[in-house]
Amino acid sequence: MAKIYCAGPLFNEPEKEEMAAIAAQLESAGHETFLPQRDGFELSEVGRELDALQMDSIDIDDLLHRAIFCLDVYKLLGWSEAVVANLNGRVPDEGTVVEAALAWHARMPIVLYKNDARAPFRGADNPMLSCLADLRTVAAIADLPQALSDQLASDHRRRIEETLALGEQIARAAESETDTRSLTSALMGLMGNGHSG
């Protein structure tokens, strides 16, 4: 089984409970998880300890923010083999977006979880996020282990190389086509019907 970084919002009790349920589902399937709210450190508790040392509040904030960033980036890129990212919310959590992008760039498997209908782009999330998982999201926590297994078995290096090659072709088409209709035609030729195979 794999080591999984659980990315998602954790700023109120319902968010924390949902993230704990995601981690528990993955653990019940035999995976090891890193859940920042559980396995990292509590910002406010360490902050109180630093306050007791009479440190300047700006220094405390800098220390805490840098420590959290370093711990989370290490657990994401140095420890984990895959990421499950919870996109629930009116917009996905900013930290989750960064973590998913870092994982994609590192060619790690990514599973996007979302059972929240709110989204800004005709019912979809921003394509810069949703395309990290090839426009696939998982809507039920119980389905996460299978989606993760599928992602762990796929060739992420090839997918990224294909994305870069297609992006280069699209850039050339955008530079050479003189009007919207001819650009649209070129995109249709490059992208097909828009559905991945």
Side-chain angles (χ1 to χ4, degrees):
M1 292 300 161
K3 295 177 179 176
I4 311 303
Y5 187 99
C6 297
L10 44 79
F11 300 104
N12 59 49
E13 283 311 308
E15 290 174 347
K16 289 178 182 179
E17 289 169 7
E18 184 171 53
M19 291 305 298
I22 288 169
Q25 185 69 44
L26 296 170
E27 290 161 1
S28 73
H31 298 290
E32 187 176 351
T33 64
F34 176 76
L35 181 60
Q37 72 197 44
R38 178 191 69 200
D39 304 321
F41 58 85
E42 184 61 44
L43 184 73
S44 61
E45 291 174 13
V46 176
R48 280 192 294 278
E49 292 293 324
L50 293 170
D51 276 336
L53 297 174
Q54 299 181 342
M55 288 181 65
D56 181 84
S57 64
I58 293 173
D59 292 338
I60 290 172
D61 288 346
D62 284 356
L63 185 150
L64 290 172
H65 291 164
R66 289 176 196 277
I68 288 169
F69 176 77
C70 291
L71 173 64
D72 288 356
V73 168
Y74 164 72
K75 284 297 194 171
L76 175 69
L77 299 177
W79 178 84
S80 298
E81 299 167 66
V83 173
V84 172
N86 178 356
L87 303 185
N88 282 341
R90 189 186 64 74
V91 293
D93 169 66
E94 311 94 314
T96 303
V97 172
V98 170
E99 291 159 341
L102 286 170
W104 191 85
H105 184 70
R107 293 165 166 76
M108 294 175 71
I110 301 168
V111 172
L112 301 179
Y113 166 74
K114 183 168 184 152
N115 69 355
D116 186 336
R118 296 173 293 172
F121 295 92
R122 294 196 288 183
D125 284 305
N126 187 306
M128 291 304 293
L129 179 58
S130 59
C131 284
L132 296 177
D134 204 23
L135 297 172
R136 294 184 180 107
T137 59
V138 176
I141 290 175
D143 295 336
L144 286 171
Q146 182 60 52
L148 183 59
S149 293
D150 294 346
Q151 284 298 309
L152 286 165
S154 65
D155 183 356
H156 294 279
R157 179 169 300 281
R158 191 190 87 218
R159 189 169 156 282
I160 290 170
E161 297 308 319
E162 289 172 353
T163 300
L164 292 172
L166 185 55
E168 183 179 10
Q169 292 174 325
I170 292 168
R172 286 185 187 148
E175 291 167 2
S176 66
E177 299 303 335
T178 56
D179 60 64
T180 304
R181 180 169 284 167
S182 57
L183 176 59
T184 301
S185 178
L187 288 175
M188 291 294 291
L190 290 169
M191 304 296 292
N193 65 5
H195 294 97
S196 60

